[in-house]
Amino acid sequence: MKKLLLTAMLATSVLGLSAQNLEKIKGTLKAKKLTEAKEQIETFLANEKNAKNLEAWYTKAKIYSEISQDPAVAATVPDARSIAFETLKKYVDMDEKGQLVFLQLDNYKPIMDVYQGYFKAGADDYNANKFETAHSNFKNCLEVSEYMVGKKWSNLTLDTTVVLYAGISAEKSNKRDEAAIYYSKLADAKVNGEGMVEIYKWLVDYNYNQKKDTEAAKKYLTLGKEVYPEDKFWPAYELDIARDGGDKAELFKKYEAVLAGDPTNTSIRYNYAVELYSEGYKPEVAQRPANSTELIAKAEEELKKVVAEKPDYAAAYLVLGQIQYNQGVDYNAVNKTIRPPQGGRLKPEELKKKEELRGLIAQKFDAAIPYFEKVDELLGKEGKLKMEQKSYLKDAYDLLITIYDNKQNQEKLKFYEEKFNSVDKVH
């Protein structure tokens, strides 16, 4: 009985000594003697008898958190913030009752200090263009944030700012795959706000062009349209995807759907008309599709809608003129096939047909002239032109030269030859 009593007395004595030692360590921490406090707590916890002391582990977390905020001491313990976080997690795991008394008494300050420390370090690195280390710090900051959210210590569901800068710094470090992870978190949460539309666009382009994942690209395109329905990027990219699919019928359906939702989009309507015409008209008749006539007629219809909506759309007038001109060329090609046999003469009906074709050629060329002249009217009076505008103007002059040569109108031919030759000088 005396032996048992002695053991109990010794145990009480050791516990009292441990408590005194811990209070001493806490005093050292309070006095900001951080290096000394670190050594003391490590020695204290190295003792097997103290290994389950919740307050000791919590005190260790506080010490390392304080060290991470002191530049001079932190230089000797570069992973102090990480140690503080891991120690806090150990403290939480060890508290079987989940009361977290010490953390609550401190109003969760140590974990918030770790979070804010990582964020400040990330922001400082980012502003100094040190994107690799910025990414590392923002990544760690996000880990702390997600831990707090998981423990319901934070009312955030997604730490948008940290996720965004983790993504941007990863992208600027050429870690596009990692950037995609962060940007996807934002897009999946349907974040909005100034500039956030670029996240959705980036993900569409990244998945479609880099990862060759059409379904993922379509997913973020759909999300982007939902959050930013007015942005013109979405229909243009939808059309790109449909075009790359190679099915012209599907592409034209997509154009119709896009224009149904945005009927005044003259740029998309013009592109639709050009693609219709490119599909319907081939210089070699044998290469044209069976519905060539319908496609060309539809192209002309759409181009007329373009110029009705935007009367200064020079490119649309040029294509309208080309449609008429090329129909005249087609009639001319047929006319050339009607030839007399060697040593013979054309039959009366053949002569009649050739006369009819010459009339149709002249009719189509005449129909083309006003459109080409409109291009001249819009662009010819301007000063410096963009390269594509100069190309439109030259094409219009070139075709007018051919038409007036066919008409044997030397005056008009020379007039447009001079204009053609002066484009590069004047514009």
Side-chain angles (χ1 to χ4, degrees):
M1 187 71 180
K2 286 182 179 180
K3 184 178 180 181
L4 287 175
L5 180 60
L6 180 60
T7 302
M9 288 174 66
L10 285 171
T12 303
S13 174
V14 169
L15 287 172
L17 184 60
S18 293
Q20 289 174 17
N21 285 342
L22 190 53
E23 286 302 314
K24 180 182 177 182
I25 296 169
K26 288 161 66 178
T28 307
L29 171 61
K30 190 173 182 180
K32 298 293 182 181
K33 298 176 181 178
L34 300 178
T35 301
E36 187 178 341
K38 177 175 82 73
E39 293 170 355
Q40 289 175 346
I41 197 66
E42 293 295 359
T43 301
F44 184 84
L45 285 169
N47 188 325
E48 229 179 88
K49 295 174 181 178
N50 300 323
K52 293 185 179 181
N53 188 314
L54 280 178
E55 188 176 11
W57 284 105
Y58 181 71
T59 302
K60 176 179 175 177
K62 288 180 68 174
I63 291 169
Y64 277 90
S65 177
E66 290 286 334
I67 289 172
S68 71
Q69 297 173 72
D70 187 309
V73 186
T76 65
V77 192
D79 56 348
R81 190 168 286 118
S82 173
I83 294 172
F85 181 44
E86 292 304 318
T87 306
L88 278 167
K89 289 196 291 184
K90 184 176 180 67
Y91 159 73
V92 172
D93 291 342
M94 288 176 63
D95 190 340
E96 295 176 357
K97 294 182 179 180
Q99 294 176 329
L100 306 179
V101 174
F102 303 114
L103 189 59
Q104 290 194 58
L105 286 172
D106 277 338
N107 201 26
Y108 298 88
K109 183 178 183 298
I111 191 77
M112 285 304 302
D113 285 345
V114 171
Y115 170 85
Q116 290 169 354
Y118 275 130
F119 185 84
K120 184 179 184 305
D124 289 345
D125 287 333
Y126 185 89
N127 291 330
N129 295 327
K130 298 176 181 177
F131 300 118
E132 289 262 3
T133 50
H135 171 241
S136 178
N137 279 307
F138 284 128
K139 183 177 180 179
N140 289 332
C141 184
L142 185 60
E143 185 183 350
V144 177
S145 176
E146 289 176 342
Y147 181 76
M148 289 193 291
V149 169
K151 294 296 181 183
K152 294 184 171 54
W153 300 343
S154 169
N155 57 7
L156 290 175
T157 54
L158 181 68
D159 199 334
T160 305
T161 302
V162 178
V163 176
L164 176 63
Y165 279 98
I168 295 173
S169 55
E171 183 187 354
K172 287 180 177 290
S173 301
N174 295 316
K175 298 175 180 176
R176 289 174 63 83
D177 289 347
E178 287 193 51
I181 294 170
Y182 298 114
Y183 292 157
S184 295
K185 288 177 183 286
L186 297 170
D188 290 343
K190 299 181 183 178
V191 297
N192 56 23
E194 187 177 354
M196 286 295 189
V197 66
E198 300 304 321
I199 296 297
Y200 299 89
K201 293 179 183 179
W202 189 95
L203 285 166
V204 172
D205 184 72
Y206 165 82
N207 282 293
Y208 190 67
N209 288 315
Q210 184 169 327
K211 305 305 286 185
K212 309 301 179 187
D213 188 341
T214 302
E215 290 309 309
K218 287 180 178 178
K219 170 188 172 181
Y220 290 110
L221 197 155
T222 300
L223 285 171
K225 277 178 66 177
E226 181 181 341
V227 181
Y228 296 94
E230 302 303 317
D231 199 286
K232 303 296 183 186
F233 175 88
W234 317 122
Y237 219 103
E238 282 181 317
L239 291 167
D240 285 345
I241 292 173
R243 187 178 299 107
D244 291 345
D247 187 328
K248 291 293 183 180
E250 286 302 312
L251 172 61
F252 296 152
K253 281 182 186 177
K254 178 57 69 175
Y255 266 116
E256 290 289 345
V258 169
L259 288 168
D262 189 8
T264 61
N265 193 322
T266 53
S267 178
I268 285 181
R269 191 176 296 280
Y270 169 77
N271 291 338
Y272 180 30
V274 169
E275 297 210 53
L276 283 166
Y277 188 55
S278 296
E279 179 67 12
Y281 178 81
K282 301 286 188 290
E284 294 294 329
V285 176
Q287 295 178 356
R288 296 176 193 175
N291 63 339
S292 171
T293 302
E294 291 80 3
L295 290 171
I296 294 170
K298 178 67 174 171
E300 188 173 5
E301 176 189 334
E302 295 300 326
L303 287 165
K304 286 179 178 177
K305 289 179 183 177
V306 170
V307 296
E309 181 73 28
K310 200 171 188 297
D312 62 348
Y313 210 124
Y317 287 110
L318 177 64
V319 182
L320 279 166
Q322 288 171 331
I323 290 174
Q324 298 299 319
Y325 175 84
N326 287 330
Q327 287 174 348
V329 169
D330 285 347
Y331 287 131
N332 191 46
V334 175
N335 186 40
K336 287 180 178 179
T337 64
I338 304 173
R339 297 178 180 177
Q342 190 172 5
R345 295 183 178 182
L346 289 173
K347 297 174 183 178
E349 62 269 24
E350 290 175 324
L351 287 169
K352 183 180 178 183
K353 182 64 176 177
K354 284 182 76 69
E355 186 63 28
E356 179 186 329
L357 287 167
R358 280 193 289 269
L360 290 170
I361 293 166
Q363 179 185 325
K364 287 299 176 182
F365 282 1
D366 286 345
I369 289 172
Y371 294 122
F372 297 143
E373 288 179 336
K374 188 68 176 178
V375 177
D376 178 39
E377 177 189 326
L378 291 169
L379 301 179
K381 65 185 178 183
E382 298 296 324
K384 192 69 176 175
L385 295 174
K386 296 177 182 177
M387 286 298 294
E388 62 180 12
Q389 291 175 315
K390 286 186 2 179
S391 176
Y392 301 152
L393 195 55
K394 282 184 174 182
D395 286 348
Y397 290 154
D398 185 48
L399 293 169
L400 283 167
I401 290 166
T402 304
I403 288 171
Y404 284 115
D405 185 38
N406 180 269
K407 287 177 172 289
Q408 298 182 351
N409 186 328
Q410 293 299 309
E411 183 182 349
K412 286 283 191 178
L413 185 151
K414 288 180 180 179
F415 176 73
Y416 285 111
E417 279 184 337
E418 288 176 7
K419 279 181 169 281
F420 181 89
N421 292 330
S422 67
V423 170
D424 290 325
K425 298 173 189 175
V426 176
H427 305 287

